[in-house]
Amino acid sequence: MTDSLGLKRTRRQKSQRFYTLLIGLTMLGLATALVLNALEDSIVFFYSPSDLRERNISSEQRIRIGGLVELGSWKKTKSETAHEFTVTDGKNKITAMFYGILPDLFREGQGVIAEGRLKNEGLFIADEVLAKHDEKYMPREVADALKKSGHWSQNAGSSRSPEEPK
C-alpha cells in the first residue's frame, strides 16, 4: 500500500518537473523571440559583391558591403558631395553611391566597407563609408570575402589619393 502511494507521488513529482521544465523552455523561447524582434532593425549583415549576386536582398534591408575599391572607378560629381565607386571582391562588382565627405583614408585599390541600402538596379546607396585604418589593416569581413573569392593579397593597398579622381 505504501509502495503504491510512493509510486504515485514519484510520478506526480516527475510530472510536475516536466511541466515546470516545459514552461521554463517556453518562457525562454518567448524571451529570445522578443529580443531578436527588438534587434531586427539594428542588426546589419555584411555581404561581399559575390554574396549580393547569390542572395535576394530587399531594398529596405540595411546592409554592409565590403571589398576593394576598383582602380579607376572612383568619380566625383561637380558638386563634390556625390561619389561613385565600384566595390569588387575580384569575382563580382557593385557600384556604390555615397553623398558626403569620404574618409581621408579612402583610396582606390584599398579595402572599404560601406553601409546603406541596395537599390533595385543593383546600385548600392551608401550613407556611411569606412576606409581601412592603415597600410596593413584590412577589415576582417573584407579579408574573409577576398580570401573566399581567391583574390586575397596581403599587399592589396597601393592606390591613388582621394584627390585624384578619374
Side-chain angles (χ1 to χ4, degrees), residues 75-84 97 99 165-166:
K75 300 171 193 159
K76 269 200 282 192
T77 63
K78 292 179 183 175
S79 67
E80 297 191 7
T81 58
H83 304 270
E84 180 180 335
M97 288 288 300
Y99 299 93
K166 184 176 180 181

Side-chain angles (χ1 to χ4, degrees), residues 31-164:
T32 302
L34 289 173
V35 167
L36 289 177
N37 189 34
L39 291 176
E40 186 177 335
D41 291 336
S42 63
I43 295 174
V44 179
F45 292 102
F46 175 83
Y47 297 99
S48 69
S50 294
D51 292 338
L52 291 175
R53 291 223 182 239
E54 296 170 1
R55 299 185 182 179
N56 187 16
I57 296 174
S58 163
S59 63
E60 297 179 13
Q61 183 180 358
R62 187 169 175 77
I63 60 171
R64 283 184 177 178
I65 63 167
L68 299 175
V69 178
E70 188 174 58
L71 291 173
S73 69
W74 179 48
K75 300 171 193 159
K76 269 200 282 192
T77 63
K78 292 179 183 175
S79 67
E80 297 191 7
T81 58
H83 304 270
E84 180 180 335
F85 54 93
T86 301
V87 178
T88 181
D89 62 358
K91 286 185 177 177
N92 291 298
K93 305 173 185 177
I94 186 165
T95 301
M97 288 288 300
F98 175 70
Y99 299 93
I101 299 171
L102 287 171
D104 290 339
L105 298 174
F106 180 87
R107 306 271 191 281
E108 292 180 339
Q110 291 189 352
V112 67
I113 292 179
E115 189 170 318
R117 299 184 196 288
L118 188 64
K119 290 291 178 188
N120 291 337
E121 316 83 57
L123 178 68
F124 184 78
I125 305 296
D127 53 23
E128 185 176 2
V129 174
L130 305 170
K132 73 179 207 175
H133 183 259
D134 63 18
E135 293 285 323
K136 300 190 185 237
Y137 176 75
M138 177 72 70
R140 186 174 48 94
E141 295 93 350
V142 173
D144 290 344
L146 291 173
K147 286 176 184 176
K148 186 177 167 184
S149 69
H151 290 84
W152 170 250
S153 170
Q154 191 70 14
N155 299 324
S158 64
S159 64
R160 293 188 272 166
S161 71
E163 290 77 31
E164 304 173 275

